Amino acid sequence: MTMKWESINQNVFVIKLVSGILITCLGFRFFILRFGQFSPVQVSVNDSQFSPPILSDNEDLIPVDIEVDKCDLFTGKWIKDPLGPIYTNGSCGIYVDGNQNCIANGRPDSAFLYWKWKPNDCSLPRFDSQRFLQLMRNKSWALIGDSISRNHVESLLCMLSTVEKPVEVYHDEDYRSKRWLFPSHNLTVSNIWSPFLVQAAIFEDSNGVSSAAVQLHLDKLENTWTDLFPSLDYAIISSGEWFLKTAIYHENATLIGCHGCPASSNMTDLGFDYAYNTSLRHVMDFIAKSNTKGMIFFRTSLPDHFENGEWHNGGNCKRAEPVSEEEVEMKVVSKILRDVEISQFERVVMETRNLKLLDFAGMLLSRPDGHPGAYRELRLFKDKNTKVPNDCLHWCLPGPIDHLNDVILEIIANG
Ligand SMILES: *[C@@H]1O[C@H](CO)[C@@H](O)[C@H](O)[C@H]1NC(C)=O
Ligand SMILES: *[C@@H]1O[C@H](CO)[C@@H](O)[C@H](O)[C@H]1NC(C)=O
Ligand SMILES: *[C@@H]1O[C@H](CO)[C@@H](O)[C@H](O)[C@H]1NC(C)=O
Ligand SMILES: *[C@@H]1O[C@H](CO)[C@@H](O)[C@H](O)[C@H]1NC(C)=O
Ligand SMILES: *[C@@H]1O[C@H](CO)[C@@H](O)[C@H](O)[C@H]1NC(C)=O
Ligand SMILES: *[C@@H]1O[C@H](CO)[C@@H](O)[C@H](O)[C@H]1NC(C)=O
Ligand SMILES: *[C@@H]1O[C@H](CO)[C@@H](O)[C@H](O)[C@H]1NC(C)=O
């Protein structure tokens, strides 16, 4: 029941999102940047944090590995991995949104499952669910953001469920925010639905048909996540794509402009980059001032891989293998979102304790093979000629998004 409702919403989101992208980028969607020009960001690290190594009570769990401090985990390549994923499409069905369970939906190729991420300067261990759960005893986590955050939390739940099954202990009225408990480790994992991170009035009926533009308050953070924030031990915060939608912007309770403004309007078109930058400025200031005990990860938005069009005009993603850096291009819109993210992160990182960047944009840019494509619903018995939109935005589970957790565990354990 829940699953069904969620699935519908997910589709609607994707449709709206992609039409948003279409409208937004009509002017420049043919101009693309080379990945080579998009330099990986070096996260500044305060060296005194690492030396001398502090021998904690959990010393046995947290080995001191000096080499890892120097290794940029986000720069590397995908290499063949005969072991494949740690969970299967069959073992994790109950946590996975049906639209991302690609194998169960009939995706015939499985080579995309047999790759792992290899940073250039160090090795990255295979995700160890037992180790993660041991380190996270009594801890509370939240993944905060849009449907890509949900995609990520489902990946994490599937991986951890190979050791202990999570129990759903909370959901909001719309089943959009949820919380799970791993009882024998007393670990809670929340997924907070807050696609803009700031307050938004969205006028959509249950089919996602909107009757008016989104009203966005760029300087008012959404309390669905800010209320929970002080109690968290770990958070992964992200946003991005929803800012591409047509919207009316408010700041200091005053209408200041719009994006994708109606033709008859006399408002100023400020552009989505203005709105995203302003909103993230408030998000980052909130994190910096919070003085939280928790470790806060800010995740850059992940690229999509629509080729030969977009959502509505036959765009697809039919590749079956990763591509190399030389072959891959980042779309202008993705680059704009990422530039805003990096600039706001760097503005506060030096004076903010425990704030880290998860910049997976480049890593996942080389995985056009990792999306559901046409297999976002069961295709086995469908008329092959029926046209369904492809999902080249979310990620198959199992799939490349699982490897974000390899990196995250490594950062927690060694960084
Ligand atoms: C680095 O961290 C140490 C302790 O955490 C602090 O005393 C020092 O001021 C920091 N240095 C910089 C440049 O942030
Ligand atoms: C998908 O799950 C089924 C049932 O558990 C299993 O038989 C099959 O091998 C899985 N497929 C892949 C590609 O892992
Ligand atoms: C679970 O962890 C919380 C802290 O997150 C702690 O307050 C609580 O006492 C723990 N409960 C048990 C049963 O260990
Ligand atoms: C978890 O919390 C329980 C209850 O508060 C406590 O007895 C136990 O030592 C804690 N475990 C860790 C690893 O902090
Ligand atoms: C916000 O608006 C109020 C009155 O509407 C004004 O007094 C105040 O200075 C404004 N603050 C900022 C930061 O613009
Ligand atoms: C914009 O139009 C509204 C009426 O639709 C009017 O009240 C307002 O004064 C106009 N603003 C400007 C800046 O022209
Ligand atoms: C975002 O805002 C900051 C000020 O907070 C400004 O320095 C920066 O140039 C802006 N970045 C973008 C990409 O608009």
Side-chain angles (χ1 to χ4, degrees):
M1 195 66 140
T2 302
M3 191 71 92
K4 183 126 194 167
W5 195 94
E6 286 258 59
S7 305
I8 291 166
N9 254 275
Q10 177 104 350
N11 295 349
V12 165
F13 160 58
V14 172
I15 292 166
K16 295 180 71 66
L17 162 58
V18 173
S19 47
I21 294 176
L22 255 172
I23 293 158
T24 311
C25 349
L26 224 60
F28 49 74
R29 51 182 283 249
F30 297 110
F31 298 95
I32 36 183
L33 294 179
R34 306 252 344 171
F35 176 51
Q37 294 170 336
F38 136 88
S39 50
V41 172
Q42 210 56 49
V43 183
S44 27
V45 168
N46 181 342
D47 281 327
S48 60
Q49 281 172 248
F50 296 107
S51 54
I54 294 150
L55 301 181
S56 72
D57 297 344
N58 287 342
E59 193 196 348
D60 53 326
L61 295 177
I62 308 178
V64 178
D65 184 348
I66 294 152
E67 206 188 326
V68 170
D69 296 345
K70 300 196 184 77
C71 177
D72 175 2
L73 296 168
F74 302 97
T75 304
K77 59 177 186 298
W78 293 90
I79 60 170
K80 290 232 160 90
D81 174 27
L83 290 175
I86 70 170
Y87 65 95
T88 70
N89 71 93
S91 65
C92 203
I94 65 166
Y95 308 108
V96 178
D97 187 301
N99 291 135
Q100 278 93 56
N101 199 344
C102 304
I103 301 285
N105 290 342
R107 180 169 171 170
D109 60 316
S110 58
F112 76 100
L113 299 171
Y114 296 89
W115 296 91
K116 67 179 174 190
W117 179 245
K118 167 73 178 74
N120 287 339
D121 299 329
C122 55
S123 62
L124 182 61
R126 185 174 167 82
F127 188 83
D128 181 343
S129 305
Q130 184 69 60
R131 180 149 189 257
F132 186 96
L133 285 167
Q134 256 179 308
L135 285 170
M136 292 305 144
R137 202 174 280 281
N138 292 353
K139 301 293 187 198
S140 88
W141 272 76
L143 283 79
I144 298 160
D146 57 25
S147 62
I148 305 291
S149 283
R150 178 168 59 215
N151 204 177
H152 186 189
V153 87
E154 289 176 351
S155 158
L156 183 64
L157 294 175
C158 288
M159 294 172 93
L160 298 178
S161 71
T162 58
V163 170
E164 186 183 8
K165 302 279 176 241
V167 179
E168 189 183 307
V169 290
Y170 165 82
H171 63 75
D172 67 2
E173 212 177 300
D174 296 333
Y175 293 87
R176 287 190 140 167
S177 294
K178 293 182 182 177
R179 184 159 61 244
W180 294 267
L181 172 69
F182 290 84
S184 68
H185 293 87
N186 190 25
L187 161 67
T188 55
V189 177
S190 300
N191 182 207
I192 306 296
W193 174 255
S194 185
F196 293 102
L197 302 175
V198 296
Q199 289 178 18
I202 302 168
F203 301 96
E204 287 177 359
D205 64 18
S206 59
N207 293 318
V209 176
S210 72
S211 52
V214 176
Q215 302 283 335
L216 214 52
H217 292 270
L218 308 182
D219 55 354
K220 293 193 174 71
L221 303 181
E222 201 161 55
N223 58 15
T224 46
W225 70 272
T226 55
D227 287 353
L228 188 69
F229 189 84
S231 70
L232 295 170
D233 296 300
Y234 293 89
I236 304 179
I237 298 177
S238 61
S239 183
E241 284 91 333
W242 279 61
F243 280 89
L244 305 177
K245 286 170 179 265
T246 295
I248 312 289
Y249 299 147
H250 304 260
E251 246 177 286
N252 196 22
T254 307
L255 195 159
I256 54 154
C258 51
H259 161 60
C261 309
S264 59
S265 119
N266 61 5
M267 291 180 279
T268 313
D269 197 321
L270 293 167
F272 72 87
D273 52 334
Y274 172 82
Y276 193 36
N277 201 17
T278 304
S279 301
L280 282 190
R281 180 157 53 81
H282 290 283
V283 169
M284 290 299 169
D285 285 345
F286 170 81
I287 295 171
K289 288 198 194 102
S290 71
N291 201 26
T292 175
K293 65 183 161 74
M295 178 175 285
I296 310 304
F297 294 104
F298 179 65
R299 179 176 62 66
T300 53
S301 46
L302 304 180
D304 71 70
H305 290 96
F306 288 97
E307 292 185 70
N308 309 311
E310 300 290 339
W311 180 270
H312 283 302
N313 54 0
N316 57 36
C317 38
K318 292 183 171 170
R319 291 172 193 259
E321 286 197 341
V323 294
S324 70
E325 272 184 40
E326 290 71 38
E327 294 171 83
V328 78
E329 297 156 330
M330 195 175 217
K331 293 178 183 174
V332 161
V333 171
S334 307
K335 182 155 192 322
I336 293 170
L337 292 175
R338 186 174 169 283
D339 284 350
V340 168
E341 290 156 357
I342 301 296
S343 92
Q344 287 302 332
F345 174 84
E346 292 198 325
R347 195 175 54 80
V348 300
V349 66
M350 286 309 277
E351 68 260 25
T352 310
R353 216 159 44 98
N354 293 339
L355 175 64
K356 289 179 193 285
L357 189 69
L358 296 176
D359 188 14
F360 293 118
M363 173 175 164
L364 286 179
L365 190 59
S366 53
R367 292 307 304 271
D369 57 328
H371 300 284
Y375 299 96
R376 46 187 287 282
E377 50 186 61
L378 189 60
R379 298 281 287 160
L380 289 176
F381 307 109
K382 279 233 163 111
D383 176 2
K384 292 276 192 251
N385 298 321
T386 310
K387 283 230 167 75
V388 295
N390 292 274
D391 182 357
C392 303
L393 177 69
H394 299 92
W395 303 89
C396 291
L397 296 176
I401 197 171
D402 295 332
H403 296 277
L404 307 197
N405 298 323
D406 303 4
V407 174
I408 290 165
L409 176 54
E410 190 61 18
I411 293 172
I412 289 167
N414 291 316

